[in-house]
Amino acid sequence: MSNPSTCSSSIDDAVSSTQNHLNQAPLILQYQELNDHYNLCRARHIVLLSCSSSIDDAVSSTQNHLNQARLILQYQELNDHYDLCRAHHIVLLSEAEYLRHENAELYLANAKLLKLLSSQASFHNLLLSSSYPTEAIVKKRTNDGTS
């Protein structure tokens, strides 16, 4: 149903999506490091309540970094999903166009068949309604010996 160029673009889109996932690996590592740092700061915060203001600042800063890293990852996932949906949409559009074309051809073929059937039926009705002897009468006359 789909032509080779559509398949090629789907493959290219899949390769591009894979490359995007590979590009995310460093961000995931950075996110994990920031998360570890956050957990360490949080543990220090519990132990060192006397230095609460500096620990709170560090925790707040780490939380901001974690939120930014999470938002970046979510954006990249949404972007990858959009690219995949767009590629699928393009394939579906080409298949829909192919089906429209095939439907038009079938419509024309159906019209030709209806015309042929109606002309044959009209011809058959003409023969039945005419004054010419039917095949049964001709056979009877032939069997009786009268022609």
Side-chain angles (χ1 to χ4, degrees):
M1 281 195 180
S2 56
N3 60 31
S5 66
T6 304
C7 291
S8 175
S9 70
S10 294
I11 290 170
D12 291 343
D13 291 337
V15 168
S16 174
S17 178
T18 302
Q19 288 173 342
N20 285 338
H21 286 291
L22 290 175
N23 290 339
Q24 288 179 3
L27 288 173
I28 292 170
L29 290 174
Q30 181 184 8
Y31 176 81
Q32 289 171 342
E33 288 174 6
L34 287 172
N35 195 27
D36 291 344
H37 180 69
Y38 170 76
N39 289 333
L40 181 63
C41 287
R42 194 167 169 207
R44 287 181 185 165
H45 178 67
I46 292 170
V47 174
L48 304 172
L49 292 176
S50 62
C51 302
S52 65
S53 65
S54 63
I55 290 175
D56 286 342
D57 291 343
V59 169
S60 176
S61 174
T62 302
Q63 284 178 330
N64 288 337
H65 288 297
L66 285 172
N67 285 336
Q68 288 176 354
R70 182 181 49 79
L71 289 173
I72 289 169
L73 287 172
Q74 285 177 343
Y75 171 79
Q76 288 179 339
E77 287 175 3
L78 286 174
N79 196 28
D80 291 344
H81 184 70
Y82 170 80
D83 290 341
L84 202 61
C85 289
R86 187 172 183 272
H88 186 63
H89 179 72
I90 290 170
V91 168
L92 290 176
L93 284 177
S94 67
E95 288 179 6
E97 183 59 34
Y98 172 79
L99 290 174
R100 273 192 219 92
H101 179 71
E102 187 176 11
N103 190 35
E105 287 177 357
L106 289 172
Y107 181 79
L108 291 174
N110 193 27
K112 287 178 183 178
L113 285 173
L114 285 173
K115 185 177 178 181
L116 179 63
L117 286 173
S118 67
S119 67
Q120 286 180 349
S122 297
F123 180 71
H124 188 327
N125 288 338
L126 177 67
L127 286 178
L128 291 176
S129 66
S130 70
S131 60
Y132 294 104
T134 63
E135 186 177 323
I137 296 173
V138 171
K139 284 184 181 178
K140 184 177 180 191
R141 287 186 183 173
T142 307
N143 291 339
D144 292 342
T146 57
S147 324

